[in-house]
Amino acid sequence: MTRGVWGWITTVDHKRIGILYGVTAFVFLLVGGFEAALIRLQLARPDGAVVSAGTYNELFTMHGTTMVFLAVMPLNAAFFNYIVPLMLGARDVAFPRLNALSYWIFLFGSLFLNASFFVNAAPNAGWFGYANLTAKQFSPGANIDFWVISLQLLGVSSLIAGFNFIVTILNMRAPGMTFMRMPVFVWMTLVTQFLIVLAFPVITVGLILLLFDRFFGTNFYNPGAGGNPLLWQHLFWLFGHPEVYILILPAMGIVSEVLPTFARKPLFGYPVVVYSGMLIGLFGFGVWSHHMFTVGLGAVVDSAFAVGTMLIGIPTGVKIFNWIATLWGGRIRLTTALWFALGFIAMFLMGGLSGIMHAAPPVDMQQQDSYFVVAHLHYVLVGGSLFGIFAGLYYWWPKMTGRMLSERAGRWNFWLMFVGFNVTFFPMHFLGLLGMPRRIYTYAGGLGWDLWNLVSTVGVFILALGILVFIGNAVASLRSAAPAPADPWDGRTLEWAVSSPPPEYNFRNIPTVHHRDELWALKAGRAPVEAAPPPPREIHLPPPSFYPIVVAAGVVLAATGALTHLALVVAGALVVVFGAYRWAFEYRSSLGGGLRPPSDASPRGLRGQSPRSSGPR
Amino acid sequence: MTTPHEAVIGSTGLDHRKMGVWAFLGSECMFFGSLIATYLVYKGRSPSGPTPHEILNIPLTSISTFVLLMSSLLMVLALAAVQRGDALGARLWLFGTPFFGMIFLGFQVYEFATFVREGLTLQVNLFGASFFVLTGFHGAHVSVGVVWLLTLWTLALRNRLTRADALIVEIAGLYWHFVDIVWIVIFTLVYLIQ
Ligand code: HEM
Ligand SMILES: [Cu+2]
């Protein structure tokens, strides 16, 4: 393993890339949280004067965009990267260098987006950038250009990762791991990747049209020339609704791993959970117009989309019942990870219920663009996705770092976040029903909104304290916590069969799988213990590569050129072509000597087949 | 090329790279689907001309469509040659395919230039905007395919493309056929059904 900074820059190891994703995304979670705190400070009292109206627009736009694309999606990606290959019993992902490329484009795209702050041109048209507010006529500055271009970059990064993980999951399962033996987290990752691969091209096209309108004077979204701004809304939400499942399905997967482990019972109704995950993904493409009930598509269209939206509630509800039934009668260990999973179920349920409320068009017409929607979306995104991610952090931290987190601090972390979250967001339901619109930078006193706004702002500080406890817990753990054993939670899935953190090659011998909860079966003696084949003398791993970061740099150079000078676009394109060719012809089949696995006994007695059967490429 | 292209056969029996390209093409369907939908939604909604009737030259584009279709045939021959280990055939057809692609692109450049002269531009109306963006992105895909195939051709010239590499030719072929099929759809919807 190459060490030092160079080692990280050229790494193609899925575990290291997972850590890079996690650290970067956590930083952006703090950035987005800081923006949210400013928003809440501004709104704490009537006639607030913390920020100007213009800055406020930038803050909520950047907050939404950051949280969705730079925090929650890549935090999920951190787990995809680190955990999925381990759960599959694989040595890496299918295309390790493409994996590195996804990360670097994500990093550069994120920096590009935030660079807009330094030239005083942060995006300011909301996270869904409605046409024709985004037209050159109404948004003449570079603000929207930054937004369009960085979303394109982030889209490319997600798409590349999508292809990679689809192939990894379909093609790199350990021998014996049939689809119906795959851990639910892997299943939900797979569904998520299909959603990414099918939904992102649609917003790509929407953004291309916007780019042409802004850069080349076309009139796609210009009603003055016959264009229809609603085209943007359709393209955006045809992407946007699957996107919300892209944000939540991984959390559902995490919770489906955490609950059985700490209830010491297999997941209740595994096939039903898997199928309802697929159904959610499928239906997710057919409900986008529920974001457009107020644009006047007509009663028939509105009704159809209302019914579709309510239908999605069914598989979602089914999952909730399955999770509860998993807990039922279990021998429960109330760890922090489980607390967060329980918090997820409760909070996601509440977000789901308010969602069902505005699935009815007449109700939605009252709630659209009010704080009720802000409450709803945060119950599913913070109470749902983010709590799920924290469950995953507490669950897999020992595996990823080799250290235990303090459970005591974890309890503080959970309860502060849980209380802070509800104090912040529950009052927003009231505010919305009292008529407070979203995206207003201030309001007059005496409208009945003063109290709840203040309460909500206080909540943010409790929530922030919870995050601070997490940071403290993490730092303390890395500095001085006890080393984590391979299997601290009495786990069920293959990642717990290897040391914490796992060796670079993950598995000395690729395991053979006989059960859905393979590790439990092994530990209980229910899986056949086969004679161990001799450990392989050499394990072939893909060598580190410099070209992913070169290609990503070329891409971001070209993006910079789009805002500055054509010459940079050309230069960036040349770097991409150069990097891509060197990449394609990079010497890669034999690495400078395979890794020699240590000769100690294979951990946990997993027996396996020849290690080369489904190596990474 | 220094790498012997050993196939990496995964749990499904498919090579990783091949499966990756299939996933990519699925994604491309949504990409072109959205562009084509945009074109169709805006059909007939331009407040002023030029209109498709006045501009599109069906006989000319039929020829270029035919050339592109023939390039798909050559692609099949190229793959067959590489699979057989027929070096001469591989060199011939791996050049012929992108060459036909370049002829198609030549027609497109000529077509675009003529249209602009006749007053159809990106800015003039919705038809111009949606037509140029749709066919332009298709043309860009053809160009990528041309570069890809020419790269394989140079490998063939240097005897670096053996039977064991048939898979990388097959993958390029998948892409090439896909781009062809997209063109058939565009040609039908944009040119034939006005
Ligand atoms: C951590 C604490 C958070 C707080 C205190 C917070 C607060 C807020 C507030 C007050 C708004 C409304 C601004 C307005 O309409 O004027 C808002 C909007 C939004 N938030 Fe958050 N938020 C938090 C976390 C998150 C997370 C984790 C996500 C996503 C995963 C998220 C996604 C959004 C989105 C998409 C919007 C809409 C932005 C727009 O209107 O364009 N937020 N947030
Ligand atoms: Cu939706």
Side-chain angles (χ1 to χ4, degrees), chain A residues 160-173:
Chain A
I160 295 174
F163 307 135
N164 205 344
F165 277 90
I166 287 177
V167 177
T168 302
I169 294 173
L170 294 181
N171 237 8
M172 293 181 72
R173 287 164 290 131

Side-chain angles (χ1 to χ4, degrees), chain A residues 51 123 184 255 264 281 295 331 343 405 431 466 501 512 550 564 574 604:
Chain A
V51 296
V184 174
V255 167
R264 291 185 257 207
V295 306
R331 283 173 298 137
L405 280 169
L431 285 171
T512 304
V550 170
T564 49
L574 288 177
R604 284 256 165 241

Side-chain angles (χ1 to χ4, degrees), chain A residues 29 32-33 36-37 39-40 43 56 60-61 63-65 67-68 71-72 125-128 247 371 374 377-378 381-382 385-386 424-425 428 437-441 456 460 463 467:
Chain A
L29 181 73
I39 292 175
R40 279 316 322 167
L43 295 179
Y56 188 88
F60 72 70
T61 304
H63 163 71
T65 309
M67 286 302 195
V68 170
V72 173
W127 91 278
F128 43 66
L247 296 170
Y371 259 83
V374 180
L377 74 89
H378 287 88
L381 286 178
V382 182
S385 302
L386 205 59
T424 307
F425 291 103
M428 290 189 191
R438 74 194 271 200
R439 298 178 171 174
I440 50 166
Y441 83 103
S456 172
V460 176
L463 188 53
I467 303 263

Side-chain angles (χ1 to χ4, degrees), chain A residues 551-573:
Chain A
V551 172
V555 171
V556 76
L557 191 62
T560 315
L563 293 187
T564 49
H565 199 283
L566 192 62
L568 279 187
V569 179
V570 177

Side-chain angles (χ1 to χ4, degrees), chain A residues 391-414:
Chain A
L393 275 175
Y394 273 90
Y395 184 54
W396 283 310
W397 181 273
K399 181 56 56 187
M400 298 170 72
T401 64
R403 305 277 179 164
M404 301 302 288
L405 280 169
S406 152
E407 280 291 311
R408 234 172 87 87
R411 228 45 65 84
W412 277 99
N413 178 0
F414 170 74

Side-chain angles (χ1 to χ4, degrees), chain A residues 94-95 159 163 166-167 170-173 179 197-198 201-202 204-205 208-209 212 216-221 225-228 231 235 285 581 584-589 612-617, chain B residues 1-17 19-20 23-24 26-28 30-31 34-35 38 41-42 45-47 122-124 126 129-130 133 137 147-148 151 155:
Chain A
F95 306 103
L159 280 169
F163 307 135
I166 287 177
V167 177
L170 294 181
N171 237 8
M172 293 181 72
R173 287 164 290 131
F179 282 115
V197 158
L198 296 176
V202 182
T204 302
V205 168
I208 286 173
L209 304 184
F212 270 74
F216 306 117
T218 55
N219 293 302
F220 285 109
Y221 301 130
N228 190 348
L231 176 64
L235 291 173
F285 277 98
Y581 268 85
F585 296 100
E586 196 173 12
Y587 188 73
R588 63 191 160 148
S589 81
R612 300 225 48 201
S613 55
S614 56
R617 186 72 216 182
Chain B
M1 191 161 5
T2 37
T3 313
H5 281 274
E6 38 165 332
V8 185
I9 304 300
S11 334
T12 55
L14 266 182
D15 180 272
H16 289 349
R17 288 163 292 174
M19 185 186 277
F24 170 68
S27 183
E28 289 275 272
M30 294 301 284
F31 179 81
S34 306
L35 282 175
T38 302
V41 166
Y42 279 160
R45 296 203 24 176
S46 301
L122 268 174
Q123 296 83 13
V124 71
L126 286 176
S130 53
V133 170
F137 269 98
V147 174
W148 189 347
T151 308
L155 290 181

Side-chain angles (χ1 to χ4, degrees), chain A residues 191-521:
Chain A
V191 176
T192 303
Q193 305 308 331
F194 271 105
L195 292 181
I196 288 177
V197 158
L198 296 176
F200 268 83
V202 182
I203 194 183
T204 302
V205 168
L207 290 167
I208 286 173
L209 304 184
L210 180 56
L211 212 102
F212 270 74
D213 274 7
R214 292 185 61 86
F215 282 72
F216 306 117
T218 55
N219 293 302
F220 285 109
Y221 301 130
N222 177 5
N228 190 348
L230 283 189
L231 176 64
W232 167 265
Q233 291 198 20
H234 281 295
L235 291 173
F236 185 88
W237 289 115
L238 195 45
F239 150 79
H241 192 83
E243 171 69 17
V244 305
Y245 291 118
I246 291 169
L247 296 170
I248 198 72
L249 283 171
M252 293 179 166
I254 293 171
V255 167
S256 305
E257 299 302 331
V258 169
L259 290 173
T261 303
F262 294 114
R264 291 185 257 207
K265 253 180 83 195
L267 185 69
F268 182 86
Y270 167 98
V272 181
V273 175
V274 168
Y275 288 128
S276 48
M278 288 197 244
L279 272 183
I280 291 174
L282 193 71
F283 287 2
F285 277 98
V287 299
W288 75 92
S289 282
H290 63 209
H291 296 274
M292 301 167 64
F293 283 148
T294 53
V295 306
L297 296 176
V300 178
V301 175
D302 281 357
S303 310
F305 279 97
V307 171
T309 304
M310 291 179 194
L311 278 180
I312 284 205
I314 297 175
T316 314
V318 164
K319 285 195 161 205
I320 291 182
F321 283 116
N322 277 287
W323 291 323
I324 295 173
T326 303
L327 291 168
W328 193 275
R331 283 173 298 137
I332 291 174
R333 283 175 295 166
L334 264 175
T335 57
T336 308
L338 186 64
W339 272 116
F340 271 107
L342 297 176
F344 166 94
I345 298 178
M347 296 301 97
F348 179 70
L349 178 63
M350 290 192 39
L353 289 177
S354 57
I356 291 284
M357 285 168 76
H358 41 241
V363 177
D364 182 68
M365 301 208 180
Q366 297 296 313
Q367 297 173 349
Q368 160 113 48
D369 266 335
S370 78
Y371 259 83
F372 193 88
V373 171
V374 180
H376 156 74
L377 74 89
H378 287 88
Y379 267 85
V380 289
L381 286 178
V382 182
S385 302
L386 205 59
F387 277 31
I389 286 167
F390 268 84
L393 275 175
Y394 273 90
Y395 184 54
W396 283 310
W397 181 273
K399 181 56 56 187
M400 298 170 72
T401 64
R403 305 277 179 164
M404 301 302 288
L405 280 169
S406 152
E407 280 291 311
R408 234 172 87 87
R411 228 45 65 84
W412 277 99
N413 178 0
F414 170 74
W415 283 110
L416 283 169
M417 276 180 73
F418 186 81
V419 172
F421 166 72
N422 280 291
V423 173
T424 307
F425 291 103
F426 200 80
M428 290 189 191
H429 291 110
F430 302 144
L431 285 171
L433 295 178
L434 289 171
M436 179 168 165
R438 74 194 271 200
R439 298 178 171 174
I440 50 166
Y441 83 103
T442 190
Y443 53 93
L447 291 167
W449 304 342
D450 305 9
L451 172 67
W452 292 126
N453 270 308
L454 187 62
V455 171
S456 172
T457 303
V458 170
V460 176
F461 290 93
I462 308 176
L463 188 53
L465 213 60
I467 303 263
L468 223 61
V469 172
F470 173 75
I471 297 175
N473 198 355
V475 172
S477 156
L478 294 179
R479 278 235 187 110
S480 54
D487 183 17
W489 312 123
D490 188 14
R492 305 146 29 247
T493 37
L494 290 178
E495 76 271 30
W496 306 110
V498 292
S499 64
S500 302
E504 199 186 352
Y505 45 82
N506 294 354
F507 299 91
R508 241 153 45 95
N509 293 309
I510 297 291
T512 304
V513 176
H514 310 87
H515 281 269
R516 198 171 281 156
D517 296 313
E518 173 71 10
L519 203 56
W520 270 0

Side-chain angles (χ1 to χ4, degrees), chain A residues 112-123:
Chain A
F112 187 84
L113 177 65
N114 280 282
S116 62
F117 276 121
F118 298 102
V119 294
N120 238 326

